[in-house]
Amino acid sequence: MSHPVSPLAPRSHPEMPPVAGVSIATGAAGIKYKGRTDVLTMTFAPGTAVAGVLTTSKCPSAPVDHCRASLPGGRARALVVNSGNANAFTGRKGLAATQTTAAAAAEAVGCAPSEVFLASTGVIGEPLDAARITPLLAGLFAQGEGGRWREAADAIMTTDTYAKVATRSVRLGETEVRLNGIAKGAGMIAPDMATMLSFLATDAAIEPAVLQALLAEAVGPTFNSVTVDSDTSTSDTLLLFATGAAGNAPVTETGDARLAPFREALGAVLLDLARQVARDGEGARKEIVVTVEGAVDDRSAKRVALSIANSPLVKTAVAGEDANWGRVVMAVGKAGEPAERDRLAISFGDVRVAVDGERDPAYSEAEASAAMKRDEIAIRVELGMGTGRWTVYTCDLTKEYVAINGDYRS
Amino acid sequence: MSHPVSPLAPRSHPEMPPVAGVSIATGAAGIKYKGRTDVLTMTFAPGTAVAGVLTTSKCPSAPVDHCRASLPGGRARALVVNSGNANAFTGRKGLAATQTTAAAAAEAVGCAPSEVFLASTGVIGEPLDAARITPLLAGLFAQGEGGRWREAADAIMTTDTYAKVATRSVRLGETEVRLNGIAKGAGMIAPDMATMLSFLATDAAIEPAVLQALLAEAVGPTFNSVTVDSDTSTSDTLLLFATGAAGNAPVTETGDARLAPFREALGAVLLDLARQVARDGEGARKEIVVTVEGAVDDRSAKRVALSIANSPLVKTAVAGEDANWGRVVMAVGKAGEPAERDRLAISFGDVRVAVDGERDPAYSEAEASAAMKRDEIAIRVELGMGTGRWTVYTCDLTKEYVAINGDYRS
């Protein structure tokens, strides 16, 4: 099954430079797909710190359980990811598959199994045959290279129509450090987490506790503000590795003044990847950027924005290029957050369509229609209740979404 | 715009007998539709009690505001409903339209405006021109007849593909009483309320406070357990009128032993109408009945059931006749309610597909596929946490839903 590349795909991918201390390889285990790679391995220099954010699902996959148990150790030497099978809801077999894979990787790399991080994405409920992956590991680890970020992004795709990569370089004190990231995800995307899978690595030296704090802070307005279909995966995994190979004096406190540019770069890479996920939403033809302002607080603004972004009626209206602000009113109303009908203002792009609880007297149907023809639809809602503000990223809901998800297993 | 009748439409409509004390008329005001009726009026005998449940939206329509203000009076003499325009988010014009309509109806019937109940359904945000409706009212009230329930149901349809009616007769003490109901709704359907519009009338004599208690109790497992697209309307209105014309000694207490059969009939009529709404969900090809058992309590069971019923991935899988229980696991996991992956059991129809946290060893793909070909798909989830139980009704998500909602205004 393949689908045409999203019209919202980036025009070009950035050149992905190596990150010192990270070695990458990909292979074809034939787990589900034929004629493509489906296994990704990374090895990290000794002493690499790791931070992570995992799905909040009450039914997490076996690899998520493994990562959750390993993260407190704060150190990583290897990453093994497969696509085609999520190893989720696979019971004792699922646990056994993660144990087997982690043990094989640990032996090949020479580390503890808890320093091996795992992720799987694909069909839920089918046992994952670890014996397809483990024989490849020693070879993959041996042949790893630093520059294969794009191949890495290719290997973890499922219904994605394009690979998702991002990179930044910034100063950390006197040292130039690099931050690379990849992501996959196209459906079953909703906060917390909206990833499905994303892996970032930097050569900066940052202690695990600081790394975790930075990641937790950065994920809120980025991956946790993306939704495709309100469905939260059992497998969502975001991991950030810091090898320390850049040689900066290690960052040991979140208040370290040197961190400012890195913080900004981390937010930028995560937002870049998160928006690429939204723009590759299954069947997406338009990106929708929903900004709610004037809420009683940011949390309330986010809830209203998600109510709009997850509304099938709003999403189908955008698909139909219909400036149907009545459905935005509906979505504000159902959010359950403080709102006053008669203070609401709504804009599509630059066109204010409603103000003070009714249609904007200056509203032009022609201008609104023109705004709806763009690839990026900005919906702005002013609640008039306070200063809370949030932006959420999503896509439209098209017949292709239904087609893709109506025959996924066949 | 018209769409083919839902394949889930009832094979036949019940004969709708009159309800003593209720007179019905319909007319064509040309509000939006051409060549069909779009106004419904009912008049009620003096002394008629009324109860109601209204949308929880923070941005309710003007007629909802009117009903909310009038319900505490507990008495009704007239109902005026229009389709084609929801009179929602219409600001001062919307309020004026309800005042004008209620005043005109009150004058024609000879009652207070607060004894006139109003409802509107259709496009949001367009001013409703009351002058299209008011000139018709005196004539409609004058020509009303008792038996026009089916015509009433026709007049309030919007994207509905069939009229929704139900009727029951039961004993109230020594007296035979009748309960009729109509509903409309096909999209923007989610609890609280999942109606869009529903109107019931009985000739029983029941005091307003008792009537309200009965209705509030009955709505939970019926209209508030139906969802099409998780989108809650600004206009949801459920009204129950009791004319008292049957002549029973009035019911003045909820504990009245005579009420048992009436309670049951009320629940049955509401469930009948609610399921008709789900089965007419925009683009629906299959009804999905989600039952969650073994939750920590009923409330928790309902939340898990709604998480499943509102999941686009579950709904598209059913559309594709795919017994994709992995997506059910996902929806259980994201509900945020107490659940243990390794205690979960899931069935489609009579086929148990998963048990104890993994695929049922006895699972037969052929049997599961056969179960998915039916018109009614029963999804049962056993959580194994307690004795809480709830059933929710919804429909599949098809390309037709997207088509219907992508060009609603055009």
Side-chain angles (χ1 to χ4, degrees):
Chain A
M1 175 195 64
S2 77
H3 296 281
V5 173
S6 165
L8 306 173
R11 299 273 178 270
S12 63
H13 285 93
E15 199 63 39
M16 294 292 286
V19 172
V22 182
S23 176
I24 302 173
T26 60
I31 293 164
K32 174 179 170 182
Y33 308 115
K34 306 297 170 200
R36 57 160 277 191
T37 56
D38 57 2
V39 176
L40 159 67
T41 62
M42 291 192 188
T43 50
F44 307 106
T48 292
V50 60
V53 180
L54 302 165
T55 183
T56 57
S57 173
K58 300 274 183 180
C59 300
S61 68
V64 166
D65 282 348
H66 174 85
C67 289
R68 189 166 277 134
S70 301
L71 273 171
R75 298 293 168 186
R77 292 295 311 286
L79 171 71
V80 180
V81 187
N82 73 274
S83 56
N85 184 309
N87 192 16
F89 209 62
T90 43
R92 290 172 299 279
K93 295 188 198 79
L95 174 62
T98 59
Q99 288 172 334
T100 303
T101 308
E107 192 182 327
V109 173
C111 67
S114 64
E115 293 175 298
V116 176
F117 284 76
L118 302 174
S120 300
T121 176
V123 172
I124 301 178
E126 302 283 340
L128 171 65
D129 183 5
R132 285 190 176 274
I133 299 170
T134 50
L136 306 181
L137 291 177
L140 288 170
F141 288 132
Q143 72 194 222
E145 290 181 12
R148 294 193 179 142
W149 285 90
R150 172 59 199 270
E151 293 91 323
D154 286 335
I156 63 174
M157 290 180 14
T158 56
T159 55
D160 304 61
T161 72
Y162 57 84
K164 296 161 187 73
V165 298
T167 182
R168 295 289 189 285
S169 287
V170 288
R171 307 290 291 186
L172 188 70
E174 299 303 303
T175 313
E176 179 89 9
V177 301
R178 189 163 280 163
L179 176 66
N180 279 9
I182 61 173
K184 68 80 52 179
M188 209 182 279
I189 296 293
D192 303 292
M193 286 276 300
T195 314
M196 306 200 55
L197 304 183
S198 182
F199 308 105
L200 280 70
T202 177
D203 51 2
I206 302 175
E207 284 302 297
V210 177
L211 202 65
Q212 184 65 40
L214 291 173
L215 186 63
E217 176 189 292
V219 78
T222 59
F223 273 117
N224 276 344
S225 293
V226 174
T227 181
V228 167
D229 51 16
S230 79
D231 276 344
T232 303
S233 163
T234 55
S235 308
D236 293 331
T237 301
L238 167 61
L239 297 172
L240 167 59
F241 303 93
T243 67
N248 60 290
V251 178
T252 57
E253 291 179 20
T254 53
D256 191 321
R258 292 175 299 163
L259 275 177
F262 185 83
R263 244 193 198 101
E264 197 175 322
L266 180 60
V269 167
L270 289 171
L271 186 61
D272 188 340
L273 292 171
R275 289 187 69 176
Q276 288 190 55
V277 167
R279 295 170 71 95
D280 201 16
E282 288 169 344
R285 291 293 170 268
K286 292 176 189 292
E287 185 185 25
I288 309 176
V289 180
V290 179
T291 300
V292 172
E293 296 176 310
V296 291
D297 55 30
D298 288 353
R299 190 203 55 82
S300 180
K302 184 175 184 180
R303 287 175 61 109
V304 174
L306 282 171
S307 178
I308 297 167
N310 280 325
S311 161
L313 288 170
V314 171
K315 292 158 80 82
T316 49
V318 172
E321 301 192 336
D322 175 7
N324 194 323
W325 53 271
R327 295 183 184 174
V328 178
V329 176
M330 175 281 299
V332 171
K334 78 167 179 166
E337 292 296 315
E340 288 264 357
R341 181 181 62 200
D342 296 343
R343 294 190 199 177
L344 271 183
I346 298 170
S347 301
F348 286 90
D350 296 331
V351 184
R352 192 174 70 177
V353 292
V355 63
D356 296 338
E358 55 187 309
R359 188 164 59 190
D360 190 330
Y363 165 80
S364 149
E365 180 103 28
E367 281 174 29
S369 293
M372 299 307 290
K373 298 210 181 298
R374 300 186 52 184
D375 279 352
E376 286 180 39
I377 307 296
I379 301 179
R380 298 176 76 87
V381 174
E382 168 62 47
L383 296 178
M385 307 292 288
T387 58
R389 186 182 189 289
W390 204 268
T391 298
V392 160
Y393 305 87
T394 188
C395 58
D396 56 348
L397 172 58
T398 65
K399 293 177 193 175
E400 286 71 28
Y401 177 89
V402 178
I404 291 167
N405 287 297
D407 62 0
Y408 181 78
R409 295 212 315 177
S410 45
Chain B
M1 175 196 61
S2 77
H3 296 280
V5 173
S6 166
L8 307 174
R11 299 273 178 270
S12 63
H13 285 94
E15 198 64 41
M16 295 291 287
V19 172
V22 182
S23 177
I24 300 172
T26 60
I31 294 163
K32 173 179 171 181
Y33 308 115
K34 306 297 169 199
R36 57 159 277 190
T37 56
D38 58 2
V39 176
L40 159 67
T41 63
M42 292 191 187
T43 50
F44 306 105
T48 291
V50 61
V53 180
L54 302 165
T55 183
T56 57
S57 172
K58 300 273 182 181
C59 300
S61 69
V64 165
D65 282 348
H66 174 86
C67 289
R68 189 165 277 134
S70 301
L71 272 172
R75 298 294 168 187
R77 293 296 312 285
L79 170 71
V80 181
V81 187
N82 73 274
S83 56
N85 184 311
N87 193 15
F89 208 62
T90 42
R92 291 172 298 279
K93 295 188 197 80
L95 174 63
T98 60
Q99 288 171 335
T100 303
T101 308
E107 191 181 329
V109 173
C111 67
S114 63
E115 294 175 299
V116 176
F117 285 76
L118 303 174
S120 300
T121 176
V123 172
I124 302 177
E126 303 282 340
L128 171 65
D129 183 5
R132 286 190 175 272
I133 299 170
T134 50
L136 307 181
L137 290 178
L140 288 171
F141 288 133
Q143 72 193 225
E145 289 182 12
R148 293 192 179 144
W149 284 90
R150 171 57 200 269
E151 293 91 322
D154 286 336
I156 64 174
M157 291 183 7
T158 55
T159 54
D160 304 61
T161 71
Y162 57 84
K164 298 161 187 74
V165 298
T167 181
R168 295 290 188 286
S169 287
V170 289
R171 307 291 292 186
L172 188 69
E174 299 302 304
T175 313
E176 180 88 8
V177 301
R178 191 163 278 163
L179 175 66
N180 279 9
I182 62 173
K184 68 81 50 181
M188 210 183 278
I189 297 293
D192 307 294
M193 284 279 298
T195 314
M196 306 200 54
L197 304 184
S198 181
F199 308 103
L200 280 70
T202 177
D203 51 2
I206 302 176
E207 284 301 298
V210 177
L211 202 65
Q212 184 66 40
L214 291 173
L215 186 64
E217 176 189 292
V219 80
T222 59
F223 273 118
N224 276 345
S225 293
V226 175
T227 181
V228 167
D229 50 16
S230 79
D231 277 344
T232 303
S233 163
T234 55
S235 308
D236 294 332
T237 300
L238 168 61
L239 297 171
L240 168 57
F241 303 92
T243 67
N248 61 290
V251 177
T252 57
E253 292 179 18
T254 53
D256 192 319
R258 293 175 298 163
L259 274 178
F262 184 83
R263 242 192 200 102
E264 197 175 324
L266 179 60
V269 167
L270 289 172
L271 187 61
D272 188 341
L273 293 171
R275 289 187 69 177
Q276 289 189 56
V277 167
R279 295 170 71 94
D280 201 14
E282 288 168 344
R285 292 292 170 269
K286 293 177 188 291
E287 185 185 26
I288 309 175
V289 180
V290 180
T291 299
V292 172
E293 298 176 308
V296 292
D297 56 30
D298 288 353
R299 189 204 56 82
S300 180
K302 183 175 184 179
R303 287 176 59 110
V304 175
L306 282 171
S307 178
I308 297 166
N310 280 326
S311 161
L313 288 170
V314 171
K315 293 158 79 83
T316 49
V318 172
E321 301 191 337
D322 175 7
N324 194 323
W325 53 272
R327 296 182 184 174
V328 178
V329 176
M330 175 280 300
V332 171
K334 77 168 179 166
E337 292 296 315
E340 288 265 357
R341 180 182 63 198
D342 297 342
R343 294 189 198 177
L344 271 183
I346 299 170
S347 301
F348 285 90
D350 297 330
V351 184
R352 192 174 71 177
V353 291
V355 63
D356 296 338
E358 53 188 308
R359 187 165 61 190
D360 190 331
Y363 164 80
S364 149
E365 179 103 30
E367 282 175 28
S369 294
M372 299 307 291
K373 299 210 180 298
R374 300 184 52 183
D375 278 352
E376 286 180 39
I377 308 295
I379 301 179
R380 298 176 76 87
V381 175
E382 168 62 47
L383 296 178
M385 308 293 288
T387 59
R389 188 184 189 289
W390 204 268
T391 297
V392 161
Y393 305 86
T394 188
C395 58
D396 58 347
L397 172 58
T398 66
K399 294 177 193 175
E400 287 70 30
Y401 177 89
V402 178
I404 291 167
N405 286 297
D407 62 359
Y408 181 78
R409 295 211 315 178
S410 46

